[in-house]
Amino acid sequence: MDWPPPSAPVQELIRQTAQIAVAARPEWLEELDRATLASHPALAADPVLAAAISRSNRANLIHWAAANMLSPGAAVEPNLGPEPLGIARDLVRRGLDAAALDAYRVGQGVAWRRLMEIAFELCSDPAQLHELLDVCSRSISAFIDATLAGIAAQIDLERDELTRSSHAERLEVVTLLLDGAPISPQRAENRLGYSLGRTHTAAIVWTDRGSGDVTGLDRAVAAFGRAAGSASPLSIPASSASRWVWVPGTAAVDSDGLTEDMSDLPDVRIAIGFPATGIEGFRHSHFDALATQRTLARLQSPQRIVFFTDIALTALITQDRERADEFVARTLGDFASAGTEMHRTVSAFVSEQCNVSRAAARLYAHRNTLLRRLTRADRLLPRPLAENYVEVAVALNVLRWSGGAAVSAPAPPPPPQSPQPM
């Protein structure tokens, strides 16, 4: 320890400070995450990395605070648990290096400001306050320095391991393809073991729970392959908690079958792109899946299996989340809190081109019941539905994907299929 042990009264103040920090209010943690991610756009743009940074922030905070509750003012061992070391693996697989760790310095500044607020609330004695802040400043700096040094060392180990792995070669090829680099299709196909000239459907499979057992991710990749009619999807480990996946063919993904296959994988999620052909299709379908994943993260949506076709409009509208929230509030007014049944009714009515009979049949409701609900909706909406139905439908869709009250109207029964020739 490079600082003298604190006095007994200051030790008690440090213990109280640590107790408050362990039970940090949610808004403090959110501020910490925002500041950390805002300092490095590549981290903020990747939902898996952003979630990993958030977990690591909390783990570091708890690690330091718990140590100071036991031994106030003593040096704290670096946190080299699964959360920070998992960050090292993810950074390497994303092509990032130790420079990304500078984001933690920004988080350190936010945490230090909060700690000073706590200190000034606990203590008014100038001498004790000076000692308290001096010890905590030295302790936090030493802890963060040691933790980041450990992560940086792990980054070097992960990079060495990855360069010796076949995964590294495949990830390199996929990255070149996604970047539009001039790599020959034949060379890329040989290294990937995957044909690029056909139609592809891309997906991103990930978990918000962080690194750990990869079995669930691999099972979800296999389930996606089965649902798309492919026994051999191309799967690239993009991080310890995510996979980039492509399946060949034009078959539609069996959403019901995929949902059933993943029923025992509650922590795994899938964002599915739009099918497209050739190398450009390989790229575009992946970017569709990526836009889907980022939209779910931006809206904090609980949805687990999501197609780009279902969320494309919401993805465009919510790129500025604050403006999107203003649009929803302005468009729906009191109707935003009208409840699931009312939202389903209006969604179905708009989906059926404002035809009352078809909407009633779709909802399995009596025509008069539907008319009463629509009348109530008009009373709650800032403008009558007939004058604003497109905007209302869009706003309800945003609510739906944000985990709000709005849900999609039930789909109408499919038309009878003609027998296919043998």
Side-chain angles (χ1 to χ4, degrees), residues 205-208 216-217 220 262 265-270 304-305:
V205 179
W206 83 100
T207 175
D208 293 325
L217 293 175
M262 290 181 54
L265 300 172
D267 295 333
V268 181
R269 310 174 73 186
I270 299 185
R304 293 181 53 232
I305 301 172

Side-chain angles (χ1 to χ4, degrees), residues 85-105:
L85 294 187
I87 290 289
R89 184 179 308 110
D90 292 347
L91 290 176
V92 170
R93 288 182 174 177
R94 289 294 198 274
L96 301 173
D97 56 25
L101 299 180
D102 289 342
Y104 282 101
R105 299 293 185 188

Side-chain angles (χ1 to χ4, degrees), residues 71-337:
S71 301
V76 179
E77 292 294 319
N79 179 19
L80 300 179
E83 291 86 4
L85 294 187
I87 290 289
R89 184 179 308 110
D90 292 347
L91 290 176
V92 170
R93 288 182 174 177
R94 289 294 198 274
L96 301 173
D97 56 25
L101 299 180
D102 289 342
Y104 282 101
R105 299 293 185 188
V106 178
Q108 178 185 347
V110 173
W112 174 242
R113 289 196 298 274
R114 287 297 184 185
L115 186 142
M116 285 194 293
E117 291 177 5
I118 296 170
F120 277 97
E121 290 175 0
L122 292 177
C123 179
S124 58
D125 180 274
Q128 290 185 356
L129 186 59
H130 180 276
E131 184 183 359
L132 168 63
L133 293 177
D134 180 62
V135 171
C136 287
S137 175
R138 293 169 184 258
S139 174
I140 291 174
S141 294
F143 166 66
I144 293 295
D145 287 348
T147 297
L148 295 187
I151 298 175
Q154 186 67 26
I155 285 176
D156 291 338
L157 292 176
E158 293 289 343
R159 185 178 292 109
D160 289 342
E161 180 179 346
L162 190 62
T163 54
R164 294 193 300 268
S165 168
S166 62
H167 291 312
E169 184 179 23
R170 287 153 60 89
L171 180 58
E172 178 187 10
V173 172
V174 165
T175 301
L176 290 172
L177 290 171
L178 295 178
D179 288 344
I183 179 173
S184 74
Q186 183 175 359
R187 180 177 173 226
E189 290 175 349
N190 290 339
R191 294 172 72 180
L192 294 176
Y194 180 87
S195 175
L196 296 169
R198 48 194 169 179
T199 298
H200 320 273
T201 301
I204 297 176
V205 179
W206 83 100
T207 175
D208 293 325
R209 298 297 182 183
S211 57
D213 182 13
V214 300
T215 304
L217 293 175
D218 294 337
R219 286 179 54 202
V221 169
F224 173 63
R226 287 192 295 272
S230 173
S232 55
L234 171 64
S235 176
I236 304 294
S239 75
S240 59
S242 65
R243 302 284 185 271
W244 293 345
V245 188
W246 288 262
V247 293
T250 58
V253 176
D254 178 4
S255 177
D256 291 339
L258 181 58
T259 301
E260 183 177 353
D261 256 5
M262 290 181 54
S263 60
D264 61 340
L265 300 172
D267 295 333
V268 181
R269 310 174 73 186
I270 299 185
I272 303 169
F274 190 76
T277 303
I279 291 181
E280 284 303 305
F282 183 91
R283 299 174 66 243
H284 288 162
S285 188
H286 173 78
F287 293 143
D288 288 348
L290 185 60
T292 303
Q293 183 196 33
R294 289 176 175 173
T295 302
L296 295 176
R298 184 165 60 245
L299 300 180
Q300 298 180 324
S301 172
Q303 302 288 343
R304 293 181 53 232
I305 301 172
V306 182
F307 291 78
F308 176 72
T309 49
D310 293 330
I311 204 171
L313 181 58
T314 301
L316 288 173
I317 291 173
T318 60
Q319 289 188 40
D320 184 331
R321 180 63 195 273
E322 184 177 348
R323 295 293 298 275
D325 289 343
E326 291 173 358
F327 166 76
V328 171
R330 184 174 61 250
T331 302
L332 298 183
D334 293 338
F335 187 66
S337 57

